[in-house]
Amino acid sequence: MNINFLFLSAANFFYFFGLGVFNLFPLYLGKLGAQKFYIGFLMGLPVLVNFFYSFKIRNKIDFVNKKHYFLFAALLSCFIYFLYYLFPNLYVIPFIRIFQGIINGIGVIFGLSIVVDIVAPEKKTSYLAIFGIMGSVANVFSPYLAEVLIRHIREPKTIFLVSVGASLLWVIFTLLVKYQPQEKEPNTGAQKVRTMDYIKIIPLAIMNGGVFAAIFNFISHYTYELRIAVIAIFFQVQTVVMIIIRIFFYNKFDKWDRKRTIVTCFSISALALFVSFLLKYNQSWAVLAFIGFLYGIVQGILFPTLNSLFIDTTPNRSGKANIIFISSRNLGIVIFSFSCGLLSQFFGYSMMYLILSLLSFAFIIYVVKQKGIQY
């Protein structure tokens, strides 16, 4: 396997290790006294910034040195994460979240785009899945560590020093990657790719992001309200299942029927949301672990499958394809973060998950009946 791919994967691991601490961010915000709607706002804010930043650079990404951007994000994250430690204040945090949105936009999009540049085109889905494993492994450990610190240390803000340390290692491994930018001229036919070329598949990414937001941004605070003992078990089970799927089935992703795979994953997502609704009536770690199991299957398969679908739509502009995919997914995260914050504020988390599960089942019907998509 390409040594540069391994270094890049290690950098991705530490990027997600630092970011994984924020899976427990709603719990931290709750301890600071934040209301549910404000938690939803703060969780969605960096994704909103990410969306606008990504959209702004969509026509430039294929003509810049992607490693330089990736390294810039790593350096910036060291500073931004330290600001969280210095200013544990609900009025200051929104300004810090804005800069984190830029970091996340660069970290995900440019990392994926570099992978596409350095691997064989016919194996891109498989390598994207392997690349994602490193982020998944990080999510096994960092949420658990964050939960222990929040529960047992007098200063919960200490969790952000973990993110600072992870970001320093992200910097080091990025420096080890030898990356030669592909020579592309902005005035060639590759520049003529339009955002409208993706219009029929954008709803798939939006819904994928929406389900992610509903589960990842609220499950920790939901389970904390229910007083379930081990909150991090959701993230651990979800991550382990995702890793197992990507390790043992990564070489199958490029061979499976895409439409059938996408419909199946959205069906499992709807089931995960419905079980989240039932969690209120069976408040056990086993049910929480089952939700993690279901969503681990979805995360293990759906993200690389949709990512590959966007790239194959415009193969000569893989960077832009990645941006449109991530931006569309982030748009779903923003919309659902804000709307879920409102729903949970007025109806509670359980009813919020019931409403979203019904919406997800309706979306599956839309996907099945939608025509004109080249899967």
Side-chain angles (χ1 to χ4, degrees):
M1 189 173 287
N2 190 314
I3 186 66
N4 288 312
F5 176 78
L6 294 178
F7 285 141
L8 185 63
S9 296
N12 190 51
F13 171 85
F14 288 109
Y15 161 65
F16 274 100
F17 195 97
L19 187 62
V21 168
F22 288 84
N23 287 337
L24 274 293
F25 197 53
L27 181 57
Y28 172 75
L29 293 173
K31 284 186 171 291
L32 292 182
Q35 297 297 310
K36 293 175 182 176
F37 172 73
Y38 197 57
I39 290 174
F41 169 73
L42 290 177
M43 294 304 291
L45 182 58
V47 187
L48 181 63
V49 174
N50 183 340
F51 170 77
F52 283 111
Y53 175 78
S54 302
F55 197 76
K56 181 179 179 181
I57 64 171
R58 69 191 187 284
N59 290 322
K60 300 178 181 178
I61 185 171
D62 290 301
F63 312 109
V64 299
N65 189 313
K66 298 168 187 174
K67 178 185 171 180
H68 290 171
Y69 275 76
F70 197 60
L71 181 60
F72 168 75
L75 291 168
L76 181 62
S77 68
C78 296
F79 174 69
I80 294 302
Y81 291 153
F82 191 62
L83 289 182
Y84 280 110
Y85 177 78
L86 292 178
F87 302 103
N89 185 291
L90 290 175
Y91 298 103
V92 177
I93 287 175
F95 297 99
I96 305 175
R97 297 291 280 171
I98 290 173
F99 287 98
Q100 188 173 352
I102 297 174
I103 294 170
N104 295 347
I106 296 175
V108 174
I109 294 169
F110 282 82
L112 292 171
S113 297
I114 294 172
V115 171
V116 175
D117 285 347
I118 64 179
V119 303
E122 66 275 9
K123 296 182 179 180
K124 60 183 177 300
T125 307
S126 301
Y127 272 87
L128 287 170
I130 296 173
F131 186 68
I133 286 176
M134 301 308 294
S136 303
V137 172
N139 276 326
V140 172
F141 303 105
S142 54
Y144 174 75
L145 180 58
E147 182 179 355
V148 170
L149 291 174
I150 288 176
R151 288 184 181 276
H152 301 292
I153 293 182
R154 182 174 297 179
E155 295 289 345
K157 65 180 184 178
T158 305
I159 62 175
F160 302 115
L161 295 181
V162 175
S163 295
V164 173
S167 293
L168 288 171
L169 292 168
W170 176 14
V171 170
I172 292 171
F173 279 100
T174 301
L175 289 171
L176 293 174
V177 176
K178 294 181 180 179
Y179 170 70
Q180 184 63 39
Q182 294 184 349
E183 296 294 331
K184 294 182 180 179
E185 294 295 331
N187 293 323
T188 63
Q191 180 71 9
K192 297 180 181 179
V193 172
R194 304 170 305 158
T195 304
M196 290 298 292
D197 294 336
Y198 310 93
I199 195 65
K200 290 184 178 180
I201 57 177
I202 283 176
L204 301 175
I206 291 176
M207 192 63 187
N208 176 234
V211 174
F212 175 88
I215 293 181
F216 267 72
N217 288 355
F218 296 95
I219 197 73
S220 62
H221 197 245
Y222 178 34
T223 52
Y224 178 75
E225 283 192 345
L226 297 177
R227 303 193 182 281
I228 296 176
V230 188
I231 296 173
I233 194 169
F234 164 81
F235 300 102
Q236 293 166 340
V237 172
Q238 180 264 334
T239 302
V240 169
V241 171
M242 183 200 304
I243 292 171
I244 290 173
I245 287 175
R246 291 190 179 181
I247 288 177
F248 291 100
F249 297 98
Y250 78 93
N251 58 346
K252 306 286 187 183
F253 289 172
D254 291 294
K255 301 175 183 178
W256 287 344
D257 180 270
R258 270 194 190 143
K259 183 174 183 178
R260 186 176 300 171
T261 300
I262 291 170
V263 170
T264 300
C265 286
F266 276 120
S267 300
I268 297 174
S269 295
L271 179 59
L273 291 168
F274 185 72
V275 176
S276 299
F277 156 69
L278 297 177
L279 183 63
K280 179 180 179 180
Y281 305 100
N282 189 346
Q283 301 173 17
S284 70
W285 65 265
V287 176
L288 185 61
F290 182 58
I291 297 169
F293 172 78
L294 292 174
Y295 199 65
I297 296 173
V298 175
Q299 281 286 87
I301 300 173
L302 189 56
F303 187 97
T305 301
L306 289 177
N307 196 179
S308 182
L309 174 62
F310 274 74
I311 292 172
D312 285 347
T313 300
T314 55
N316 59 331
R317 290 294 306 278
S318 60
K320 182 171 182 177
N322 273 320
I323 280 189
I324 299 299
F325 168 60
I326 297 297
S327 296
S328 301
R329 189 172 184 270
N330 285 342
L331 180 60
I333 293 175
V334 170
I335 294 172
F336 277 67
S337 291
F338 293 160
S339 58
C340 287
L342 282 172
L343 286 172
S344 61
Q345 186 73 44
F346 291 105
F347 302 107
Y349 285 124
S350 180
M351 186 57 64
M352 177 195 82
Y353 282 117
L354 176 61
I355 294 171
L356 293 178
S357 67
L358 296 175
L359 178 62
S360 295
F361 282 117
F363 184 75
I364 294 168
I365 297 174
Y366 162 80
V367 174
V368 171
K369 293 189 174 182
Q370 177 71 305
K371 297 181 180 179
I373 298 177
Q374 299 298 319
Y375 289 100

